[in-house]
Every structure is written in C-alpha cells, then in structure tokens.
C-alpha cells in the first residue's frame, strides 16, 4: 500500500505561471510531482472492467493500423496484447479512487469548478494515442516509466485530421519541442497545442489532470431549460395593432416584440442556478466506490475527514451546490461549506471552530449520504 499521497508543486510563483503560461504557453516541470505509486496497472485494469467506468483500449503505432475498444472491458481483453504498442486509458479515476482525487488540492490556483477529472493511462513500450490536440488545459504527470513527448503548433477544428483511424488524430504534426518525461515530471499544455506522447518503456503510467472549459452553447441550453421548466404557456398577441401595409413582410416592430417577449423569459437568477447546477455536476457518478480510508490515514495521519472523490461542491452566495443539488445555507453553515469546498481532506483543528449546531447537522447529513468519510 502506498503511504505517500499524490502531490504536485508548481516550480515557479503562481502569479508567474498564470501570467506567462496558463492558456498561453507550454511548460515542462521536472520532478514537480510525487506520491504517484497508486493506482498500479492491475488496479487500472480492474476499473476498466466496471460498467460505471469510462475506459478505452487502444492498439497501434505510427501509420497504423490503429484499433479502439471502448469499455467496459472483459477480462480476456488483456490477453494476447503483447509487450508493445498498446495503451489503456481510464477516465475520471479521481471520481472512483478518492486517494487519487487528493492531488487536485494542489491545483487551487484556479477555481475548483474549472477542474474536470484525472484520467490515467497505462502503456506498454511504444503505446500512444497518436498526435492530437485537446480543447482544454491539461497537466500530464509521469507516474512511472518514461514517455517521449513531441510538441507541435496550435491547432483548431480546421486542422487536417486523419480519416483512416477510429481516433481523433492529426494528419501531420510538425515538431516544435521535445521532452523526455520520467517519474515525477509534469508537462503543462494549453488548449489547442498539438502533442504526441509515446511510451519509451513498459509500465508507463501517466496521469492527465484535465480542466473543465464550459461550452457557452451548453450553458445557454441549461439556462433556457431552467427558465422554461415552470413557465406557463405564453402566446403571442397583437390586439389593437395598426393595419398591415404588406402581408408578406416581417416588420421590424413585430420582430422586436417577438424577440423581447421571448428573451424576457430568461430570468437571470434562474439562469445562474442552471450554471451552478451544471458546474457542480461531476463528469461521472463514482459514489458507489468506497473510500480507501486506511490508505488516506497512512498518507495524512492528521486528517479526520475526507471528501469522496466523486463529489463536486461549490458555494454560491447562501447556497451550496453538491453534485448538482442545491442546499440553502444559514449564516452558521457558510464558513464550513467554504472549508469543505476549498479542499478535500480536513484536520480536526480546521473543522471544530466551524461546527456550530446547524453546521454539524449539515455535515452529519452529508456524511450519512456518503459525500464525506470520517477517518
């Protein structure tokens, strides 16, 4: 059992990183992470068998052929893979394995709602997912083995893609930078930067901390659905209108009336609720997976409480949003919720000053629901 919990440390001031690199420029950070022994390959393979877990098994290298098998996988999927040119990807491992989620506390230099999940890959020598780009910020953390990274230019949806593979793979990727990552090395990539990582040896495990970048179209759809959910039917009316000069035209005043009445249904407060609900909903439901309390106690002996890795918690004004559900807070509960939302493990000296009667009742209820686990 691993005794050290995962940690990441920026090797430069936070302000410098945010100004120079965040969403702008690649940064390679040697030996910036530690405590990455768990999960091992067998644990990842076991997760890939679970119906609740999103996983992929990719085989191929170079020009191919490439194959993609979506999970959940069967046990025999790992038979006959050989010792080269395959990769197992397991998504949202932090949602299922709470010790993994504790790494996310070290990314508190951006708001918690910006964090998406931690994907972990296991690759045999030569294993890769091909040259590609992501639409979000990502920290690629080498846990074991070695991976060779080639970094290309910035890409967008117009960048040519290969059409002969089941993967989103660039047709051509000129190399602008190269890095060879070993255990503990971290590579930060802004959105859109082309990259191609290839396992240099066996037992190559890479953690991928991905960030949530809401699509404004999705947010607008959520807002509209929230605002219209309890709205009664409201039909257009034009009593007292002037005679129509040209029946084939859509006159500007009619158009303005239609737009004003329709957009008037979008209530800002209800739209804000929709956004908070969306941002507090985890990528996958991992609450059925128990918390490994023994491992967390071994790595953090002063902790008395831990947040389940499958929980997303935000405070917005006098409301707490926990996994998409809204809780109205009283004045005595807000300080506790700020603590619970701002980190993932808690010491007694942090909790006790905040546990008023109503705050304790709220916390006990969340513990009973499995959102938090005493240690």
């Amino acid at each position: 059992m691993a005794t050290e919990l995962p940690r990441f440390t920026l090797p430069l001031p936070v302000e410098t990183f945010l100004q120079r690199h965040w969403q702008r420029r690649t940064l390679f950070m040697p030996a910036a992470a530690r405590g990455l022994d768990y999960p091992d390959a067998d644990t990842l393979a076991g997760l890939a068998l679970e119906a609740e877990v999103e996983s992929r098994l990719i085989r191929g290298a170079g020009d191919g052929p490439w194959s993609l098998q979506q999970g959940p996988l069967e046990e025999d999927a790992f038979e006959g893979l050989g010792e080269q040119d395959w990769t197992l990807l397991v998504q949202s491992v932090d949602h299922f394995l709470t010790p993994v989620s504790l790494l996310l506390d070290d990314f508190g230099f951006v708001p918690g709602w910006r964090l998406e999940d931690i994907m972990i890959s296991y690759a045999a020598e030569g294993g890769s997912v091909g040259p590609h780009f992501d639409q979000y910020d990502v920290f690629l953390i080498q846990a074991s083995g070695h991976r060779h990274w080639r970094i290309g230019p910035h890409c967008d949806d117009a960048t040519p893609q290969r059409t002969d593979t089941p993967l989103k793979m660039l047709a051509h990727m000129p190399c602008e930078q190269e890095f060879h990552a070993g255990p503990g090395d971290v590579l930060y990539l802004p959105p859109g930067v082309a990259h191609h990582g290839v396992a240099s040896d066996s037992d190559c495990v890479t953690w991928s901390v991905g960030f949530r970048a809401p699509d404004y179209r999705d947010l607008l759809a959520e807002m509209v659905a929230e605002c219209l959910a309890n709205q009664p039917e409201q039909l257009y009316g034009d009593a007292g209108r002037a005679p129509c000069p040209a029946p084939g035209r859509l006159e500007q005043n009619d158009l303005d009336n239609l737009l004003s009445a329709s957009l008037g249904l979008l209530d800002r407060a209800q739209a804000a609720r929709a956004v908070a609900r969306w941002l507090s909903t985890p990528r996958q439901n991992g609450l059925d997976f128990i918390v490994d309390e023994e491992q967390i106690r071994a790595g953090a002996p002063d902790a008395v409480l831990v947040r389940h890795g499958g929980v997303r918690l935000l405070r917005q004004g006098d409301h707490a949003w926990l996994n998409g559900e809204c809780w109205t807070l009283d004045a005595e509960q807000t300080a506790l919720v700020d603590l619970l939302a701002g980190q993932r493990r808690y010491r007694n000296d942090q909790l006790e000053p905040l546990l008023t009667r109503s705050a304790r009742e709220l916390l006990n209820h969340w513990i009973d629901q499995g959102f938090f686990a005493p240690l």
Side-chain angles (χ1 to χ4, degrees):
M1 179 181 66
T3 57
E4 187 176 14
L5 295 173
R7 296 301 309 269
F8 164 68
T9 305
L10 269 175
L12 70 170
V14 168
E15 295 80 4
T16 303
F17 172 77
L18 292 175
Q19 289 299 315
R20 294 183 182 176
H21 295 278
W22 180 250
Q23 300 220 311
R24 289 190 173 105
R25 191 176 304 150
T26 299
L27 179 63
F28 186 65
M29 297 167 275
R34 65 183 191 275
L36 305 169
D37 295 335
Y38 173 84
D40 58 14
D42 289 340
T43 303
L44 291 174
L47 281 176
L49 306 180
E50 300 287 344
E52 303 96 323
V53 179
E54 181 183 336
S55 62
R56 292 167 287 165
L57 181 61
I58 296 172
R59 283 172 277 194
D63 291 332
W66 292 82
S67 69
L68 168 64
Q69 184 176 353
Q70 299 279 5
L73 304 176
E74 301 292 336
E75 289 189 29
D76 59 9
F78 301 103
E79 297 177 2
L81 286 175
E83 298 180 358
Q84 287 187 311
D85 301 343
W86 61 270
T87 299
L88 172 66
L89 301 165
V90 184
Q91 199 76 47
S92 304
V93 176
D94 56 306
H95 292 39
F96 309 109
L97 304 181
T98 294
V100 170
S101 74
L102 301 181
L103 176 70
L104 298 175
D105 278 354
D106 293 327
F107 292 87
F109 46 83
V110 293
W113 62 261
R114 281 286 264 131
L115 292 164
E116 181 70 280
D117 69 348
I118 299 176
M119 181 184 73
I120 302 183
S121 68
Y122 174 87
E125 183 178 354
S128 174
V129 298
H132 67 285
F133 70 96
D134 300 308
Q135 298 283 17
Y136 49 83
D137 303 86
V138 62
F139 287 77
L140 298 160
I141 304 174
Q142 197 63 27
S144 66
H146 297 80
R147 185 176 289 274
H148 183 253
W149 290 104
R150 297 172 67 246
I151 310 302
H154 189 275
C155 301
D156 56 32
D157 290 339
T159 304
Q161 305 266 334
R162 286 180 61 170
T163 58
D164 61 337
T165 79
L167 307 171
K168 291 184 177 180
M169 198 177 296
L170 296 172
H172 176 63
M173 194 197 86
C175 181
E176 298 182 352
Q177 293 177 286
E178 292 187 80
F179 303 102
H180 195 67
D185 295 343
V186 180
L187 175 63
Y188 164 73
L189 295 173
V193 172
H195 52 286
H196 184 196
V198 179
S200 305
D201 46 28
S202 61
D203 196 35
C204 177
V205 177
T206 306
W207 296 31
S208 175
V209 179
F211 287 74
R212 177 170 285 195
D215 186 328
Y216 293 126
R217 297 171 299 178
D218 293 335
L219 290 183
L220 183 58
E222 293 290 328
M223 295 179 204
V224 171
E226 178 80 15
C227 292
L228 299 186
N230 297 311
Q231 284 279 3
E233 183 179 60
Q234 299 185 46
L235 302 180
Y236 175 77
D238 54 359
R241 71 173 300 144
C244 174
R249 295 180 193 167
L250 174 59
E251 299 293 349
Q252 188 62 46
N253 65 318
D254 284 340
L255 178 59
D256 289 343
N257 290 337
L258 289 164
L259 290 174
S260 296
S262 298
L263 295 175
L265 297 178
L266 295 178
D267 177 79
R268 191 174 183 86
Q270 290 179 310
R273 289 176 59 86
V275 172
R277 177 179 292 110
W278 194 90
L279 293 177
S280 66
T281 300
R283 192 179 189 279
Q284 293 182 251
N285 180 15
L287 288 175
D288 288 340
F289 287 71
I290 63 172
V291 174
D292 190 338
E293 298 168 3
E294 182 180 358
Q295 181 166 346
I296 296 173
R297 281 196 298 267
D302 58 346
V304 297
L305 182 75
V306 66
R307 190 204 310 177
H308 191 291
V311 167
R312 293 183 74 99
L313 177 62
L314 307 171
R315 182 171 79 86
Q316 182 224 354
D318 60 355
H319 294 93
W321 288 90
L322 192 156
N323 285 18
E325 183 178 359
C326 183
W327 299 74
T328 300
L329 305 175
D330 64 35
E332 295 183 347
Q333 295 170 332
T334 55
L336 173 67
V337 171
D338 278 341
L339 173 67
L340 299 179
Q343 60 195 67
R344 288 166 175 78
R345 64 178 184 265
Y346 319 93
R347 303 187 310 271
N348 193 60
D349 64 303
Q350 296 173 314
L351 288 167
E352 279 299 326
L354 308 179
L355 290 178
T356 62
R357 180 188 58 79
S358 63
R360 188 180 297 275
E361 288 176 356
L362 179 64
L363 178 57
N364 286 340
H365 182 70
W366 283 352
I367 290 173
D368 289 343
Q369 296 296 310
F371 300 136
F372 294 84
L375 298 174

